[in-house]
Every structure is written in structure tokens, then in C-alpha cells.
Amino acid sequence: MTDHTRRNVLRGAAAIAAAGGLVGAGAQARPAAAAPRTPTTRHFPFLEGAFEPVTQELTAFDLSVTGRIPTDLNGRYLRNGPNVLGLEDPRAHHWMLGDGMVHGVRLREGRAEWYRNRWVRSSQVAKKLGEPYPGPVPPDDFPCNTHVIPYRGRILTLQESGPLPYELDDELNTVGTYDFRGTLKGPLTAHTKFDVHAGELHAIAYYPTWDHVRHLVVDPAGRVSRTTRIPVADAPMIHDFALTENHVVILDMPVTFDPAAAERGDIVPYVWNDKHPARVGVLPRKGGRVRWFEVDPVYYSHTLNAYEEGSNIVVDMTNFDAPFLVAGNGSGGPYATGTPRLDRWTVDLRHGRVWTRTLDDRPQEFPRVNEALVSRRHRYGYAAASAEMSLAYMAVDGNPPDRAFGNALIKHDLFRGTTQVHRLPRGAAASEAVFVPREHARAEDDGYAIAYVHDPDRGASDLVILSAQDFTGEPVARIHLPGRVPLGFHGSWIPDA
């Protein structure tokens, strides 16, 4: 693969836009202003409305609060997402390839001490901001835009298919790339799984020129201690996976790399491939043979969690109906024929089949679980429903009316098969809800669900804190931020040590 093609795989034409988007030190690059929509104006939903990139890095102290911040919430809530910098031509952009920006709120002893938002300083972001980049540029460099996690006292931003993680300090300044003490050779993933019982961090890594994917295990010492290569055809995109106490679950769906599209310089050279069978792989965590199980084609977006139940493996996740066009359909982002729903797949290891059923068919994304239960049986899950997210994924033709969707945070009780919905006003776009346990928690849901929510009256965002055990009640606290947090991807609560 040529260097030109590798850049196209990761950034596509965004690299071209970056070349013309240089600004002076301390200045902020502004995306082209969105023109009013007319019948002849092209619509780029992932650059407008709740998705519109912000143009400044802000720092604000002593934030105003409605309600009371629980005094046991001491730490930082951080969320990552694409926030394109220096965009000149919307046609040369894809939402998933925007420069990563982390938004954070620092809580301590009942106070909201600060809000910050900062671009991840990859080499290209540093160049666009007129800042020096320290040291040599790593291969496949990219400002990680998908997730931000705590890992053994570090804050890591994550991206899949090539780039190394970037480490941030406690105030969201970029420290540099992180390779797990020199042991990470190649890509990681956007969705690691940390098993608190084993002290292990797991990943499924893919790369467009590989004939396999890799299961990586980072041991309690912080080193990649085991790499298992799993042969796959067609170089599929494996955005997420699942982990149980004894198994790794690989979701191999029909979104695959298209070399011809990469050579052409297509923005995202991944396509829906009807010839690629949809299947689920089960790999023993201690090593061994992968067992594959065919399933009907869908596109999974994210796993909630997985666990073992006798000889069965239960995986809860959000799925889109086939086909799913990662490269979009002219909208500047992905395109789907419908909205994601919460499904349960049960892998029957004894009889060699997979049972599927829908748990909740209302539009929802970004499912999260109490992180202490990753790989173990869970009862509760949390998801976000955002009207603008749903409409943007269906934005090119045949949009349903706005009233078909709403904004809400959803709590699932998967033992009882019930849900609680915290409804939000029109225009109050909700980001992913992360569960944070209360100090000395006694139950799985003894804690808080926290999320960034847009306040249409202020034209800015709030950090909303809900009691997970009073989910439909008034927020415990609503922290008022000085600016918008655009709809983005994933975040984490990073408690004080």
C-alpha cells in the first residue's frame, strides 16, 4: 500500500482540506458557514445543527449549576468526537474523519471547577493551529476522535485502523502518542474492553491491508502480552466487539475495504459487500480455535455488554438493518435505511447457532453499562436517543417527519424487560449517557447517568446528571457550559485517584 493510499484510508480527502486550512498560532479555524437550505442547496447534516463543529477552544471556571452536584462525584467527565478544523469544502469531508476534540468538565466536592474543550494535537492539527509538533511524526498519524478512556493513571484518546492512541494530561493538553511501553505494534481499536477482575485491557484491531484481525491483550503491567491473529476475508471493518469471562466475541459483518476506492482517493473506502457473509466468531480468551456462526446480515454499531449463561454467550448491542453505507450517500456522513435498535444475540455453543431478538425497537445509540460489569452479567443498560442523529443517518432521501423521533435518555432493565425514559425537549440533542457508580454503591444501578445535552434556549450545552435509580425524575444537577458540545462519539468518567 502506497503512502498516498494509506492516508486516504484514514483521512480521505480531509488531508487535502487540511493542506489549505492553516491558521496562525492561537487562532481558530472556522468551517464554512452553512448556507440557508433551499431546494437547490446541498445538505450536509453532519456539519449543521447539533453536529456543527465548534470553532474555539474554551476554558471556563466555576460553572453555574441548577440543582446540586453530588459531593461523591470527584473527577472528570470527558467525551471525544469529530470536530473538523479548517474545512474549506464540505464535499471533502466525512463526519467520522473530523479532527478529534475532547470536551471535559472537572467536578470536585460539589463544584464544577472547569470546562475545557481541546483538539487532539496530532501532527496535522498542530500544523493547522500553527503549533510545533514535538518529535517525529508516527505512522498513520491521526487526531483520535472516537473514544477517551482512563488507563492506569493515563487519559487515552482512541481511534481504530492505524493510529496510535494519543495521551492527554489532566487539563486535556496533548502529551503525545502512547504505545503501551513500546509493546503496541500496529493499530489498536476505538473500543477497548477493560476487565476489572483480570486487570486486562482487550482489543480487536483491524487494518485494510491485513488478511486477519488481531486480538490484543494488555496485561496488568501495561504491556501488550498476547496477540492472536484471526484470519478473515475482505478486510472487514470491525468497529466494536464483546468480551465475556472466558471468550472474545468478534462481529464480522459485510462492511469491507475497497482497494479501488482507496486508490481513487475516496473519502472512506469501505463499502457494503453483499458477497461477504455475516458471522459471529467466538475465541477463547486463553487462546485456541475460533468458532464461527453465520447470522443474517445487519450492521452492528456498538455492543452494550456480553456474558456467559451456561453454554450460551449473550451479547446485547445496537444494530442497523442492512445495508449500511459507511461512506454515506452524499450527506457527509454514514447513511442507513433505518434507525438503530437494541438487539440481543445468544450464541448457543452447544448446538452451534445464534438466536436473535429485538429488545427495544425505538431509535437509540451508544449503549453503555456499569463498567465494573464488562464481561459479566448485567441487568441495566443506558442509551441515548437523539432526533438529529436519527434524521442525519437518513438525511439524503425520504426523511420521515420530525415527530417520528424525540430526544431522550433510556434506561433498560434487562431482567424485567422494561425501560425508563428521561424525555428531553425538542432541540435538546442528547449525547451518550455514561454510568458512574455512587461512592460505596450497593446495587448495580446505585449511581448516576451523566451526559451532555444541548440547551436550545441558551444555544449551549449542559452536563446533565441523573440519578440512575430515579431516572425519570428531575436531574440531580444541570451544569451550564459556556458553549456547545456537538453531537459526537464516546466518553468516560475518570475518577480522582
Side-chain angles (χ1 to χ4, degrees):
M1 174 180 269
T2 66
D3 184 61
H4 168 75
T5 303
R6 182 176 293 109
R7 289 197 304 271
N8 286 333
V9 169
L10 294 171
R11 302 187 297 276
I16 300 172
L22 306 184
V23 297
Q28 306 300 325
R30 295 178 177 270
R37 286 193 68 187
T38 70
T40 58
T41 299
R42 189 169 180 183
H43 182 35
F44 294 95
F46 292 96
L47 291 172
E48 303 165 5
F51 296 93
E52 183 180 358
V54 297
T55 60
Q56 293 181 323
E57 294 182 327
L58 302 177
T59 302
F61 299 95
D62 296 323
L63 308 177
S64 64
V65 179
T66 299
R68 289 188 175 183
I69 300 170
T71 56
D72 60 340
L73 282 177
N74 292 295
R76 296 161 178 80
Y77 176 64
L78 308 182
R79 203 223 64 198
N80 203 349
N83 194 91
V84 64
L85 173 63
L87 180 66
E88 291 189 339
D89 184 355
R91 295 169 299 178
H93 174 66
H94 187 281
W95 181 49
M96 294 179 178
L97 298 178
D99 306 290
M101 174 177 274
V102 176
H103 299 258
V105 175
R106 172 53 157 128
L107 305 181
R108 179 153 44 193
E109 298 177 353
R111 296 179 295 114
E113 288 192 339
W114 54 251
Y115 162 80
R116 286 179 167 86
N117 63 317
R118 296 292 187 270
W119 275 288
V120 178
R121 259 55 172 191
S122 68
S123 58
Q124 57 265 42
V125 167
K127 184 177 181 181
K128 284 186 279 188
L129 291 173
E131 299 174 358
Y133 182 82
V137 177
D140 296 323
D141 189 33
F142 189 77
C144 302
N145 70 16
T146 309
H147 208 343
V148 53
I149 64 168
Y151 182 70
R152 302 198 177 280
R154 301 178 187 270
I155 299 171
L156 303 181
T157 62
L158 303 181
Q159 188 82 18
E160 64 204 80
S161 189
L164 288 171
Y166 265 94
E167 181 181 354
L168 308 181
D169 68 15
D170 288 346
E171 296 186 342
L172 309 189
N173 302 303
T174 301
V175 176
T177 56
Y178 185 70
D179 60 5
F180 297 91
R181 301 170 67 181
T183 62
L184 177 60
K185 308 298 183 183
L188 190 62
T189 181
H191 288 285
T192 55
K193 310 293 181 189
F194 185 73
D195 182 341
V196 298
H197 304 277
E200 294 176 344
L201 187 73
H202 290 251
I204 293 290
Y206 72 93
Y207 196 72
T209 59
W210 290 352
D211 60 0
H212 62 279
V213 297
R214 298 177 185 177
H215 171 229
L216 308 176
V217 181
V218 183
D219 65 22
R223 296 176 177 271
V224 177
S225 61
R226 187 167 70 251
T227 300
T228 302
R229 298 191 177 197
I230 303 160
V232 295
D234 305 321
M237 174 182 284
I238 299 184
H239 177 64
D240 201 353
F241 72 106
L243 189 70
T244 72
E245 185 175 357
N246 297 294
H247 297 91
V248 181
V249 181
I250 303 120
L251 300 164
D252 180 8
M253 298 296 125
V255 173
T256 63
F257 178 64
D258 182 352
E263 290 293 346
R264 287 195 306 269
D266 286 8
I267 297 175
V268 179
Y270 281 85
V271 298
W272 183 265
N273 182 354
D274 284 319
K275 296 180 180 179
H276 185 85
R279 59 184 188 160
V280 178
V282 177
L283 170 71
R285 276 175 60 164
K286 294 181 179 179
R289 182 176 64 91
V290 180
R291 291 183 63 187
W292 291 104
F293 305 82
E294 289 197 6
V295 294
D296 291 333
V298 297
Y299 181 72
Y300 74 96
S301 55
H302 300 101
T303 59
L304 169 65
N305 194 30
Y307 59 89
E308 295 164 16
E309 191 172 57
S311 62
N312 294 336
I313 293 175
V314 178
V315 186
D316 293 341
M317 57 189 176
T318 47
N319 286 331
F320 289 87
D321 286 330
F324 182 86
L325 307 181
V326 176
N329 195 16
S331 64
Y335 175 76
T337 55
T339 53
R341 62 188 179 272
L342 184 65
D343 284 350
R344 171 167 289 179
W345 288 10
T346 302
V347 184
D348 184 340
L349 297 176
R350 179 177 299 169
H351 298 101
R353 56 192 172 189
V354 179
W355 303 98
T356 66
R357 69 184 177 100
T358 295
L359 299 174
D360 189 358
D361 63 359
R362 80 190 77 194
Q364 60 195 281
E365 249 285 29
F366 306 125
R368 295 297 292 261
V369 71
N370 183 330
E371 295 291 309
L373 294 174
V374 168
S375 78
R376 303 306 197 266
R377 186 169 186 176
H378 59 279
R379 175 174 178 175
Y380 300 105
Y382 306 86
S386 171
E388 287 203 46
M389 179 78 73
S390 297
L391 291 168
Y393 271 77
M394 305 170 68
V396 181
D397 295 304
N399 274 351
D402 285 359
R403 64 178 177 273
F405 303 106
N407 297 302
L409 299 174
I410 303 170
K411 177 186 178 182
H412 294 278
D413 184 334
L414 298 166
F415 283 9
R416 294 183 176 179
T418 60
T419 59
Q420 296 179 56
V421 179
H422 186 92
R423 301 190 185 279
L424 298 164
R426 183 182 179 89
S431 295
E432 176 186 69
V434 171
F435 176 81
V436 182
R438 190 172 62 87
E439 190 176 15
H440 309 304
R442 296 184 177 182
E444 179 183 334
D445 65 341
D446 188 2
Y448 313 97
I450 57 180
Y452 290 126
V453 177
H454 183 63
D455 181 348
D457 294 331
R458 292 197 308 118
S461 295
D462 296 331
L463 181 61
V464 173
I465 303 174
L466 303 179
S467 167
Q469 294 184 331
D470 183 22
F471 199 76
T472 60
E474 286 295 311
V476 174
R478 184 182 288 270
I479 301 165
H480 306 298
L481 309 184
R484 291 189 308 107
V485 178
L487 283 176
F489 296 145
H490 307 285
S492 296
W493 172 251
I494 300 180
D496 288 349

